[in-house]
Amino acid sequence: MKDRTKRNLTLSLPEGLIRSAKVLAAKRGTSVNALVRESLEGMVRSEDTVQDALERILSFSAEGLYRTTRKVSREELHER
């Protein structure tokens, strides 16, 4: 993420999830905070990637996937 300014966020989570997250963080030598941050960063990156792909697909659709310099007849377009 580009913005390195940090702010606190309060979450309400089930006790069992918090307990499991603490165990996982300890196994990985990190903190629950770091696990949550990394997970959220991954979700945001994934969403950005999906959005970028969708925009590329839409631009292909708008431009046309099949570009040609010669005139194509209706029959050629519909050949099977």
Side-chain angles (χ1 to χ4, degrees):
M1 309 283 326
K2 292 178 184 176
D3 184 7
R4 293 294 174 196
T5 304
K6 295 180 182 176
R7 295 187 57 189
N8 290 332
L9 172 67
T10 302
L11 300 172
S12 295
L13 302 169
E15 285 184 36
L17 178 58
I18 293 170
R19 199 174 314 113
S20 296
K22 286 180 178 182
V23 169
L24 178 61
K27 285 180 183 177
R28 293 186 180 183
T30 190
S31 65
V32 172
N33 184 66
L35 290 176
V36 171
R37 182 179 54 248
E38 290 166 8
S39 179
L40 287 173
E41 287 174 344
M43 284 188 275
V44 169
R45 269 193 310 273
S46 177
E47 184 68 24
D48 289 347
T49 301
V50 168
Q51 187 62 37
D52 290 345
L54 180 58
E55 288 172 6
R56 280 194 309 276
I57 290 168
L58 292 175
S59 74
F60 289 148
S61 176
E63 295 172 11
L65 290 176
Y66 303 103
R67 296 182 205 129
T68 181
T69 56
R70 71 177 182 86
K71 185 104 171 148
V72 180
S73 71
R74 187 179 195 315
E75 291 76 25
E76 285 178 298
L77 287 174
H78 297 284
E79 281 181 357
R80 292 190 187 233

